[in-house]
Amino acid sequence: MHDFVYKKNELYSEQVPIASIARAIGTPFYLYSRHTLENHYRVFDSAFSSIPHLTCFSVKANFNLAILRIMAHLGGGADVVSGGELYRALYAGISPNKIVYTGVGKKGDEIEYALEANILMFNVESPEELSLINRIAGRMKKKARIALRVNPDINPRTHPYIATGLRENKFGINIPHAVKEYARAQKLKNIEIAGIGCHIGSQIVEVSPFLEALKRVKILMAELNKMKITIQYLDLGGGLGITYDQEEPPHPRDYAESLMKELKGLQVTLILEPGRVIVGNAGILVTQVLYTKKNNRKNFVIVDAGMNDLIRPSLYGAYQKIQPVIRAKRKTIIADIVGPICESGDFLAKDRKIQMLKAHEFIAVMGAGAYGFSMSSNYNSRPRIAEVLADKNRFSIIRERECYDDLIRGERMPDDLKISEFGIRKQGLGI
Ligand code: LLP
């Protein structure tokens, strides 16, 4: 369920008419519904309420500070994968003892930062990383809490780019190897074994891959038990899918129920790292039609948002539903909905059956709250777009649209290429 619905043929976010936001701030922009976001978090988190657990929102899905702050208010933690994400999570007020840090390429300074912040635990992805964490913690006279992220070799039956728990993927440590590493970790002076981590992929629309992974992790836990290693936290990662088109993913309640059944008898605190399922359908991308044209009988609708703003269709061939902000009875056509970027891969939809659209009208790209803004870039020197939060009958800008100055911030001219202030003015930048 989400709060983007038509009232008298006009699309609203909560009680705010979307066209009114577009007229006030221009297009394109990302728009999130606070109510949907909170509702999704509560439904997910409460599904696990009968067991000790921690919901760590996956910051990579949407890193906006206001969104993270909402998660913090709801009692959520964070799953971070970089020093930058850790900075954002802390800045937004997420408590460090609810932060887990995953990722195959943590750098020394990032590890130091996380130790300084006293996060809950590192999900360690290689023996070398374990050694480095131990060394840095030793230097800082600290003990680092760790889980080993294991790779259970499970096929999550999702897009290959977002499957992470297969033997051939770069993630985690395979289970037989993990036993040896736990034994080594036990002897490291500055390491405290806190848990096991496992994340098998994203946009998973059935429960069975999660259960298969959990079964393998349980075998490992039994093995560790024999070695007198107790696992306090079991981190099963994120990955629960959502409906973009026709998918029928399990409801969080069913997902939770199946996992909890499999967990019966284990004395652990469960950690979950949901991203998409919380924020995916809580956000849309609002864009405007610039032109329409026909080339060799093919229809093109050219809009002001491109692959730099929302890369999922180009990168994964992902389906994102598209609908006009003002609905009317009109002819349907088959068209490519494309952006202004100079690449043929720049599209939001291909061969899509859609109502005939015309220049200047606003359209909504649905299900864009996760991996939308967070994967956007400045390609083609396009300023990154605004983010807006609708809350009942109000809306607030939670990230300003970038300006041209933002594009060149941080760039420097070597001395012999310097242009004088006068030179710049003479060339008349027109800004
Ligand atoms: N935990 C870890 C360790 C992860 O790597 C991820 C996602 C998550 C949690 C959150 O997964 P979620 O609940 O959102 O499925 N850009 C792609 C998705 C990449 C997912 C990467 N890892 C997309 O747009 O589909």
Side-chain angles (χ1 to χ4, degrees), residues 24 44 82 109 147 157 190 208 239 245 255 267 349 360-361 391 396:
F44 187 94
S82 67
D109 59 337
R157 296 186 278 279
N190 299 94
S208 54
D245 186 11
Y255 161 79
Q267 300 295 317
H360 309 304
E361 77 174 291
D391 185 4
S396 2

Side-chain angles (χ1 to χ4, degrees), residues 71-266:
M71 295 297 145
H73 274 169
L74 293 167
D79 146 49
V80 303
V81 291
S82 67
E85 286 192 354
L86 175 57
Y87 179 76
R88 283 180 173 280
L90 294 171
Y91 200 98
I94 293 178
S95 157
N97 64 11
K98 293 183 180 174
I99 298 180
V100 291
Y101 184 178
T102 312
V104 291
K106 303 179 191 79
K107 292 180 75 165
D109 59 337
E110 294 176 308
I111 293 169
E112 198 174 317
Y113 178 32
L115 282 169
E116 197 60 61
N118 207 14
I119 62 163
L120 178 63
M121 68 179 189
F122 293 89
N123 280 332
V124 176
E125 305 222 17
S126 67
E128 288 187 11
E129 183 195 327
L130 180 64
S131 304
L132 181 61
I133 294 177
N134 181 52
R135 274 204 305 281
I136 296 176
R139 206 187 321 124
M140 294 171 73
K141 306 206 171 10
K142 287 195 172 228
K143 250 191 160 168
R145 281 176 298 275
I146 65 106
L148 293 188
R149 176 177 178 180
V150 297
N151 182 328
D153 194 21
I154 294 289
N155 185 353
R157 296 186 278 279
T158 183
H159 191 285
Y161 286 10
I162 53 178
T164 50
L166 278 167
R167 202 173 2 184
E168 65 261 33
N169 300 137
K170 67 177 172 177
F171 300 98
I173 304 175
N174 63 42
I175 291 187
H177 205 150
V179 177
K180 275 192 251 153
E181 280 310 304
Y182 271 110
R184 190 167 73 91
Q186 220 175 359
K187 295 193 209 100
L188 294 175
K189 253 183 61 198
N190 299 94
I191 293 289
E192 178 190 328
I193 298 173
I196 298 185
C198 169
H199 167 83
I200 57 172
S202 195
Q203 184 54 14
I204 300 170
V205 292
E206 18 176 19
V207 178
S208 54
F210 292 110
L211 291 179
E212 286 168 46
L214 176 51
K215 282 183 186 146
R216 295 195 183 178
V217 168
K218 273 170 60 183
I219 297 172
L220 171 62
M221 274 179 78
E223 195 86 10
L224 296 180
N225 214 10
K226 283 188 226 146
M227 294 156 64
K228 303 261 167 310
I229 294 176
T230 32
I231 294 298
Q232 192 186 350
Y233 295 100
L234 179 50
D235 181 347
L236 289 180
L240 187 58
I242 62 170
T243 304
Y244 286 103
D245 186 11
Q246 311 283 335
E247 306 91 331
E248 289 178 357
H251 189 278
R253 265 194 307 272
D254 300 328
Y255 161 79
E257 215 123 90
S258 311
L259 290 182
M260 290 190 304
K261 211 160 116 199
E262 194 60 49
L263 282 167
K264 271 233 161 71
L266 293 182

Side-chain angles (χ1 to χ4, degrees), residues 392-417:
K392 301 187 185 78
N393 59 359
R394 302 178 300 137
F395 72 88
S396 2
I397 295 178
I398 55 172
R399 183 186 177 106
E400 279 177 33
R401 188 181 304 289
E402 287 181 348
C403 62
Y404 291 152
D405 259 347
D406 293 323
L407 292 178
I408 60 168
R409 177 152 303 128
E411 290 182 40
R412 300 277 178 273
M413 293 285 182
D415 279 346
D416 61 337
L417 289 177

Side-chain angles (χ1 to χ4, degrees), residues 58 60 79 162 199 202 238-239 273-276 312 316 371 375:
S58 193
K60 63 179 83 63
D79 146 49
I162 53 178
H199 167 83
S202 195
E273 303 175 353
R276 190 187 319 260
R312 302 192 69 256
Y316 313 114
Y371 307 108
M375 293 180 84

Side-chain angles (χ1 to χ4, degrees), residues 299-301 331-335 352-357:
N299 293 308
F300 290 95
V301 177
K331 212 173 112 187
T332 49
I333 54 166
I334 309 273
R352 182 71 60 87
K353 195 168 167 191
I354 191 158
Q355 291 191 333
M356 178 90 93
L357 296 166

